[in-house]
């Protein structure tokens, strides 16, 4: 167990105290969820980097690790050791991205653990090599949040510079899937969504200006190549990349390229990703292929359509987002479920009818309605099956039926939401 900085213990006590009068159950579980990542999944390494497990899987996902430590970042300015821990995650992200920008999860050492039988360009460092656009976006978001919170210029070393350049170059390559160097096949997939169609090349796509993502943040294969919320996430973080390249590295070429790519993706979303829904009006599709096909749904994993304001793409008051949110939180979304104890968004990654607490927390984080937030916080605290921890998914008619008892990202996202309620 890692030593917990005093500043985080103080935050845990403060939030618990503030929540207790209105939300006693949420208050009682806040500390253990808030500190779960730091106490059980963070490993400080001798080289100054930080390795972060997802929880019950012994690998470091770029996406999960960034999201898991996000609740701590806002407090990093107050503690040298906490700053060093977060900076260590960023440095490990930078090294991993340089090793393989198409991989989504990595080993602590080059020991060849993980999915080494997959048909793709593997190295012993890689646990899994599913190309997911958000796997590059989450580390860039973390870097921006850390810089904003601390003003620490030490983080901007040459490894981070390389990460910025490699991220942009990889996104550029995936604007043109027909010439992409990436392919992926799993010889014996447990589910069809564990591998790519078309001999590992994935579904056909037309050029849109957006960036192709082979897999979703759930690690399931995309139905259509352009995952819209991931491209929205890219728009948000590419603005940060352009500023970092210009301000810290005097790399105007990279800054210009990131800005141009951002504009092209934004234009592609506007032209290809908005659908006129008969009930809700103009809404964002979850996926499209640039060939006239759209998938109308949402998934609990982030980036999602529900998370658009959280990603920094559009405010919660944006009319198209409001329409999309109404669709996502309705029976029109095939992965929205209701039961006796909860209602919310699930995922095709788990069996039908399950609700994912992650989506409930995200619904709360993106809500402008205090009553809705209160209902969601109460719902989250009441559906842990008495464990006081957040799970991957649960049966809304019987929360005692759940998946993944140890899931660091879900605990951290709950903590973020609880902090927003307690410390608006």
């Amino acid at each position: 167990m890692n030593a917990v900085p005093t500043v985080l213990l103080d935050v845990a006590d403060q939030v618990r105290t503030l929540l207790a009068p209105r939300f006693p159950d949420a208050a009682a579980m806040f500390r253990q969820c808030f500190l779960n990542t730091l106490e059980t999944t963070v490993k400080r390494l001798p080289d100054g980097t930080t390795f972060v497990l997802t929880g019950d899987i012994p690998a470091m996902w770029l996406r999960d690790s960034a999201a898991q430590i996000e609740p701590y970042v806002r407090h990093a300015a107050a503690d040298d050791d906490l700053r060093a821990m977060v900076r260590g995650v960023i440095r490990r992200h930078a090294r991993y991205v340089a090793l393989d920008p198409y991989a989504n999860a990595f080993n602590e050492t080059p020991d060849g653990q993980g999915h080494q039988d997959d048909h793709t360009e593997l190295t012993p460092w890689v646990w899994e090599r599913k190309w997911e656009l958000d796997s590059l976006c989450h580390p860039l978001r973390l870097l921006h949040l850390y810089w904003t919170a601390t003003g620490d210029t030490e983080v901007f070393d040459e490894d981070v510079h390389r990460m910025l350049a490699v991220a942009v170059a990889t996104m550029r390559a995936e604007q043109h899937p027909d010439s992409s160097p990436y392919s992926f096949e799993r010889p014996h997939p447990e589910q069809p969504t564990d591998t790519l169609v078309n001999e590992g090349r994935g579904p056909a796509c037309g050029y849109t200006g957006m960036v192709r993502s082979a897999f979703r943040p759930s690690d399931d294969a995309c139905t259509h190549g352009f995952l819209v919320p991931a491209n929205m996430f890219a728009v948000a973080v590419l603005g940060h990349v352009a500023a970092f390249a210009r301000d810290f590295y005097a790399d105007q070429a990279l800054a210009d390229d990131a800005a141009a790519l951002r504009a092209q993706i934004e234009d592609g979303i506007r032209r290809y990703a908005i659908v006129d829904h008969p009930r809700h009006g103009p809404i964002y599709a979850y996926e499209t292929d640039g060939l006239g096909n759209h998938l109308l749904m949402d998934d609990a994993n982030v980036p999602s359509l529900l998370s658009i304001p959280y990603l920094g793409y559009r405010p919660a008051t944006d009319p198209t987002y409001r329409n999309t949110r109404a669709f996502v939180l309705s029976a029109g979304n095939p992965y929205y479920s209701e039961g006796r104890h909860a209602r919310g968004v699930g995922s095709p990654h788990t069996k039908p009818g399950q609700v994912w607490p992650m989506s409930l927390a995200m619904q709360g984080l993106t809500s402008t309605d205090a009553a809705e937030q209160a209902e969601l916080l109460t719902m989250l605290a009441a559906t842990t099956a008495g464990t006081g921890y957040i799970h991957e998914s649960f049966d809304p008619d019987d929360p005692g039926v759940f998946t993944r008892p140890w899931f660091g990202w879900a605990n951290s996202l709950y903590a973020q939401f609880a902090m927003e309620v307690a410390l608006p």
Side-chain angles (χ1 to χ4, degrees):
M1 179 176 292
N2 291 283
V4 178
T6 300
V7 63
L8 296 184
L9 294 174
D10 290 345
V11 169
D13 289 341
Q14 180 187 17
V15 172
R16 181 173 54 193
T17 299
L18 291 171
L19 289 176
R22 292 183 61 205
F23 308 104
D25 293 338
M29 60 187 278
F30 176 77
R31 186 189 187 281
Q32 66 184 36
C33 288
F34 178 53
L35 300 179
N36 178 249
T37 282
L38 186 59
E39 291 181 333
T40 67
T41 71
V42 169
K43 184 176 182 180
R44 304 286 293 277
L45 299 176
D47 64 0
T49 67
T50 306
F51 187 82
V52 183
L53 300 171
T54 68
D56 56 3
I57 303 175
M60 182 168 172
W61 263 253
L62 295 176
R63 167 186 59 251
D64 293 48
S65 57
Q68 282 170 250
I69 68 165
E70 188 167 318
Y72 309 142
V73 175
R74 70 178 71 183
H75 310 291
D79 186 274
D80 291 344
D81 194 55
L82 184 56
R83 272 198 309 282
M85 185 276 286
V86 178
R87 193 164 58 238
V89 174
I90 293 169
R91 285 178 169 161
R92 184 146 281 254
H93 282 163
R95 295 181 189 181
Y96 282 154
V97 169
L99 283 167
D100 189 346
Y102 284 101
N104 56 323
F106 293 83
N107 296 310
E108 180 185 340
T109 62
D111 56 14
Q113 296 298 304
H115 298 275
Q116 292 293 316
D117 292 333
D118 292 340
H119 297 168
T120 188
E121 295 183 12
L122 290 164
T123 74
W125 282 102
V126 172
W127 172 274
E128 188 172 58
R129 195 175 188 258
K130 288 181 173 178
W131 159 238
E132 299 162 0
L133 174 56
D134 70 282
S135 288
L136 292 183
C137 294
H138 274 281
L140 301 175
R141 171 184 170 91
L142 177 64
L143 176 62
H144 170 71
L145 291 172
Y146 177 75
W147 158 245
T148 301
T150 67
D152 179 10
T153 59
E154 185 181 342
V155 73
F156 293 102
D157 59 13
E158 278 308 306
D159 284 346
V160 166
H161 188 192
R162 188 179 305 110
M163 175 175 69
L164 302 181
V166 169
V168 171
T170 305
M171 292 183 199
R172 279 289 187 200
E174 293 305 314
Q175 280 187 300
H176 305 274
D178 288 346
S179 59
S180 166
Y182 177 79
S183 66
F184 179 97
E185 287 183 284
R186 182 157 290 172
H188 306 289
E190 294 183 9
Q191 303 292 336
T193 52
D194 268 342
T195 192
L196 293 183
V197 299
N198 193 23
E199 298 182 333
R201 303 295 299 176
C205 299
Y207 178 81
T208 65
M210 289 186 282
V211 176
R212 186 272 296 257
S213 188
F215 291 87
R216 300 170 181 168
S218 62
D219 299 333
D220 297 328
C222 292
T223 300
H224 303 307
F226 299 113
L227 179 60
V228 176
N231 276 274
M232 294 170 167
F233 200 4
V235 168
V237 299
L238 283 167
H240 308 325
V241 171
F244 293 150
R246 181 186 64 245
D247 297 343
F248 295 106
Y249 299 105
D251 189 342
Q252 194 60 47
L254 177 58
D256 290 346
D257 195 23
L261 176 58
R262 182 178 190 267
Q264 290 161 9
I265 298 171
E266 176 75 285
D267 183 62
I269 294 171
R270 179 184 59 80
R271 291 189 295 119
Y272 291 95
I274 299 175
V275 176
D276 193 15
H277 191 277
R279 178 180 176 187
H280 299 287
I283 67 170
Y284 292 111
Y286 185 71
E287 291 173 359
T288 185
D289 59 6
L291 302 173
N293 298 300
H294 299 86
L295 181 59
L296 302 186
M297 58 163 278
D298 201 20
D299 187 291
N301 288 271
V302 181
S304 60
L305 294 173
L306 191 60
S307 70
I308 285 172
Y310 177 85
L311 302 175
Y313 179 71
R314 291 287 186 271
T317 54
D318 178 81
T320 306
Y321 172 70
R322 299 300 302 175
N323 294 346
T324 305
R325 182 184 181 90
F327 163 76
V328 167
L329 299 176
S330 77
N333 175 11
Y335 300 103
Y336 179 81
S337 299
E338 296 190 9
R340 293 193 305 272
H341 298 280
R343 61 185 182 276
V345 180
S347 171
H349 193 68
T350 50
K351 68 180 183 179
Q354 300 283 97
V355 169
W356 281 48
M358 186 181 297
S359 73
L360 301 179
M362 185 53 65
Q363 183 182 344
L365 284 165
T366 55
S367 175
T368 58
D369 183 345
E372 181 183 23
Q373 290 182 319
E375 180 187 18
L376 289 161
L377 190 60
T378 300
M379 189 184 299
L380 280 161
T383 53
T384 70
T387 67
Y389 286 106
I390 304 298
H391 305 132
E392 178 188 52
S393 70
F394 65 88
D395 184 336
D397 285 319
D398 182 4
V401 178
F402 59 82
T403 59
R404 295 192 71 178
W406 181 20
F407 190 17
W409 184 11
N411 286 316
S412 289
L413 200 61
Y414 166 78
Q416 277 187 273
F417 174 41
M419 283 192 289
E420 289 295 327
V421 173
L423 306 166

